[in-house]
Amino acid sequence: MLTHQFNPYSACTSILIGKNATADGSTMIGRNEDSRAAWAKKFVVHSHTEFDQPQTFKSTDQDHPFTMTLPKIRAKYTATPEWTPKYGLFEEDGINEHGVAMSATESAYCNARVLAADPYVQDGIGEEAMVTVTLPYIKSAREGVERLGQIVEEHGTYETNGILFSDDDEVWYMETGAGHYWVAQRIPDDAYAVVANQLAIQEVDYADHENFLYAKGIRDFVVDNQLASMANGLNFREVFGTADLSDLHYNTPRVWSGQQYFTPDVVQEPESFNLPFVQRANRLIHIDEAQHYLASHYEGTPFDPVGAGSDVEKHRYRPISLAKTQESHILQIRPDKPAGTRGIHWLAMGVAAESIYVPFYSNVETTPAAYQVATEKYDAHSAYWIFKLAGVLVDAHYHDLHSQLNDVQKETAIALGHHLIMTDQALTNVSATDLTATLTQANEQAAKIALTAVRDLSAELITQSTDLSPLNYQTDLNL
C-alpha cells in the first residue's frame, strides 16, 4: 500500500496461494496494509443495491480528482475503509456476494525510462478507489483483472500498484506500470507468490491467454520507445520496474523471507534481484502459515528488530510486520463449502505480529459494532484501538511482556479456529432464509472471543506495568 501525501514511503507485503497449494483446497490472497502507526480502520459491509440510473464515483482525494461512471447494480461486498474519507476511501480488501475477493494495493515503483514515455495521470485511478469501483461489479477474479485493466487504460493511473484477485478456482496478480499499461498473471494452482513493493511479474507469455492478461498495445509501446527489443518476449519486472540499492534493503529481503519459510530447501540470498515471482512450497500451506508469514519479522535471524542481532543487523532490512500496519487480512475462498459460506475474511486489526486474525464470514449484512468504530485518536469502543492498545502496552516493556501476548494469541487462535469449525458444521442444518442471520451471529461471537481476550490481556498488562517504572526502587517494607 502507498497512501496519503503525508507518508509517501509507506508500503505493504502480499501473499497469493493457488488452490492446489493449500491444505484444504481453498484459494488465499492476503496483505498487510501499511501506512501509519496510528491510522484507524473499519470493517464494513456494503449491501446489494440496484439504482435507477448509473452512479458516479468521485474521489475525495483533492490531489487526484478521479471520476468515473459506475453500473446501476452494485453487489454486496465487505471492505476495510479508513476512519476518514478526507484522503480517499481506501477500502483495500473484501469479498463480494459472487465469491470474488480483491485486495488493493501492493505499492510498487516504475522506472524513469518508462514514465518518460507514458507519465502518470494525476486525475487517473489510484489505490484509494480501486476496490470501490471494481469489486462490486465483477463475478470472477479474471473479470476483476479485465475491468480494472480497462479503467487504467481509459482513465490512466497516478501510481504503480499490484492488485490481488481470487475466486474459488483462480488466483490472479495484476500490476500497473506507467500511466496506462498493465499486465496480470494467474498464479499456478500448485504455487504461491509473495510480493514486497517491487514489480514482480517476470516473463509474460502473450500467447497464453489462460494465464496472462495485459493492456492493449503494450508490445508496441515497449518497442516504439526502445524500452526492450522484445526478441525474447517481455520481462515486465526488468522493463518496467526498479532494481536499486533501496530495493535490496526494503523489498527483496521480505520476498526472501517468505520463500525461505515456504520453500526452505531452495538456497537464496536476501539481497538478490533474481528471486522468482512464482514459487512452489515444500508442503501444502495452511491458513495459519499464511498468517504467520504476514505477522513475521525475521524471527530466528539476526535481522529480527526485537531479536539478538547487532544494532546494524536488526535495522538492516524492513520487516514484514511493523508498527505502521493498519490491518492485515487473508481472503479465503473455500470451494468445498456450501454456496454462501465459502468466503472468510480473516482480519487482524493493527500490527499483525501483535494482533489476532479473526475469521469473519463475508456473506453478512453487517459487521460487529466495535469493527465499525474508527477514530483519529484512541477510542475504547473501537476494535482497531483495542488491538493497538495491547500492542503499545507490550512494546513499552517488550521482553518482559511479549510472552503473555504470545500465549493469548495462541489460545485465542485455537478458540476462533474451533468456533469456525463448529459453525461450519452447524450450518448444514440452517435454511437458506436463515443463513445470513446465522453467519452474522457467528461473526458477532468471533469478535467477542477476540476482543474479550485482548481486553483482558490489556488489563493484565497495565497492572503488571505499574511495577516496571524507571522510578522503581526496592523499598524496605519495615520502614
Side-chain angles (χ1 to χ4, degrees):
M1 175 186 180
L2 181 62
T3 71
H4 319 142
Q5 66 272 26
F6 48 77
N7 188 18
Y9 301 109
S10 58
C12 301
T13 308
S14 297
I15 184 170
L16 309 96
I17 313 174
K19 63 183 180 181
N20 293 338
T22 63
D24 63 352
S26 63
T27 60
M28 301 179 196
I29 58 174
R31 184 170 56 89
N32 289 348
E33 181 189 356
D34 303 335
S35 178
R36 294 182 70 183
W39 203 251
K41 300 291 293 187
K42 295 182 284 187
F43 176 49
V44 302
V45 178
H46 296 288
S47 62
H48 178 104
T49 306
E50 299 188 11
F51 300 96
D52 293 332
Q53 300 293 330
Q55 300 296 292
T56 299
F57 176 87
K58 185 175 182 180
S59 175
T60 57
D61 182 355
Q62 296 180 0
D63 293 334
H64 304 288
F66 170 67
T67 301
M68 71 169 289
T69 301
L70 299 175
K72 291 190 291 184
I73 298 177
R74 184 188 71 190
K76 178 171 67 174
Y77 68 106
T78 58
T80 59
E82 314 245 281
W83 69 272
T84 174
K86 180 178 180 181
Y87 305 103
L89 296 178
F90 292 97
E91 293 204 298
E92 294 299 313
D93 50 279
I95 303 173
N96 72 17
E97 66 183 70
H98 304 296
V100 183
M102 177 181 179
S103 178
T105 68
E106 177 72 35
S107 297
Y109 302 92
C110 192
N111 66 60
R113 293 187 303 276
V114 173
L115 288 173
D118 181 30
Y120 289 138
V121 179
Q122 292 308 304
D123 61 350
I125 191 171
E127 173 180 354
E128 68 93 6
M130 286 185 176
V131 166
T132 308
V133 303
T134 305
L135 184 58
Y137 310 104
I138 57 177
K139 295 184 178 180
S140 70
R142 178 185 293 265
E143 189 177 330
V145 172
E146 293 171 339
R147 173 175 173 80
L148 184 55
Q150 183 178 11
I151 294 172
V152 169
E153 290 179 53
E154 292 182 359
H155 296 268
T157 180
Y158 60 84
E159 57 190 7
T160 297
N161 285 310
I163 303 96
L164 299 72
F165 292 96
S166 65
D167 51 37
D168 62 5
D169 186 40
E170 299 185 347
V171 175
W172 283 82
Y173 189 62
M174 173 184 182
E175 292 185 319
T176 65
H180 299 85
Y181 292 94
W182 60 273
V183 300
Q185 181 175 351
R186 180 181 175 181
I187 305 301
D189 293 340
D190 64 343
Y192 73 92
V194 288
V195 188
N197 302 127
Q198 280 180 296
L199 289 178
I201 295 175
Q202 295 172 294
E203 297 296 336
V204 177
D205 187 344
Y206 289 112
D208 184 359
H209 297 291
E210 290 298 312
N211 296 294
F212 292 91
L213 296 168
Y214 44 86
K216 294 187 295 290
I218 191 171
R219 287 177 288 185
D220 291 340
F221 168 75
V222 171
V223 173
D224 292 347
N225 290 282
Q226 299 179 321
L227 300 173
S229 69
M230 298 290 287
N232 298 316
L234 172 64
N235 185 312
F236 191 72
R237 180 197 295 180
E238 291 183 0
V239 176
F240 282 75
T242 59
D244 55 35
L245 186 61
S246 64
D247 290 318
L248 295 179
H249 291 271
Y250 200 80
N251 302 326
T252 63
R254 284 178 281 154
V255 177
W256 165 81
S257 179
Q259 295 190 1
Q260 282 292 106
Y261 177 57
F262 294 113
T263 318
D265 50 325
V266 176
V267 178
Q268 300 175 138
E269 295 298 324
E271 296 182 27
S272 170
F273 287 126
N274 298 315
L275 300 173
F277 170 51
V278 172
Q279 185 62 281
R280 268 79 180 179
N282 70 342
R283 61 193 182 277
L284 294 176
I285 300 173
H286 291 267
I287 184 69
D288 61 312
E289 292 178 304
Q291 295 167 359
H292 171 83
Y293 170 67
L294 290 180
S296 66
H297 42 86
Y298 305 118
E299 295 95 325
T301 77
F303 313 124
D304 186 350
V306 290
S310 67
D311 286 342
V312 172
E313 289 173 322
K314 289 194 291 186
H315 298 94
R316 178 171 295 167
Y317 301 140
R318 188 267 208 203
I320 295 160
S321 184
L322 78 173
K324 288 181 171 56
T325 303
Q326 295 173 269
E327 54 86 17
S328 179
H329 56 269
I330 295 179
L331 310 178
Q332 181 182 22
I333 310 297
R334 311 175 300 168
D336 64 325
K337 302 299 180 185
T341 69
R342 293 174 180 171
I344 302 294
H345 192 143
W346 294 86
L347 184 59
M349 283 294 194
V351 181
E354 299 177 336
S355 187
I356 295 168
Y357 286 92
V358 182
F360 292 114
Y361 290 92
S362 62
N363 182 23
V364 294
E365 295 298 337
T366 189
T367 56
Y371 281 81
Q372 299 182 42
V373 179
T375 54
E376 183 177 14
K377 296 183 179 180
Y378 172 79
D379 186 322
H381 300 95
S382 164
Y384 171 86
W385 285 114
I386 290 169
F387 285 103
K388 288 292 288 187
L389 174 61
V392 169
L393 292 170
V394 168
D395 286 343
H397 309 285
Y398 189 87
H399 294 289
D400 292 303
L401 303 178
H402 188 257
S403 62
Q404 291 177 247
L405 170 64
N406 276 345
D407 290 343
V408 171
Q409 287 175 313
K410 292 177 184 177
E411 293 167 3
T412 309
I414 292 170
L416 289 170
H418 181 71
H419 169 69
L420 183 62
I421 291 171
M422 298 305 294
T423 303
D424 279 342
Q425 293 176 357
L427 290 174
T428 59
N429 299 317
V430 175
S431 66
T433 55
D434 295 334
L435 180 60
T436 300
T438 302
L439 297 179
T440 301
Q441 182 57 42
N443 286 357
E444 292 284 348
Q445 182 60 27
K448 182 179 179 180
I449 291 170
L451 294 175
T452 299
V454 175
R455 284 190 175 108
D456 290 347
L457 171 64
S458 292
E460 183 64 27
L461 293 174
I462 290 172
T463 303
Q464 291 189 35
S465 296
T466 60
D467 201 34
L468 298 176
S469 168
L471 296 177
N472 212 343
Y473 193 85
Q474 188 65 39
T475 57
D476 189 338
L477 297 179
N478 294 320
L479 294 179

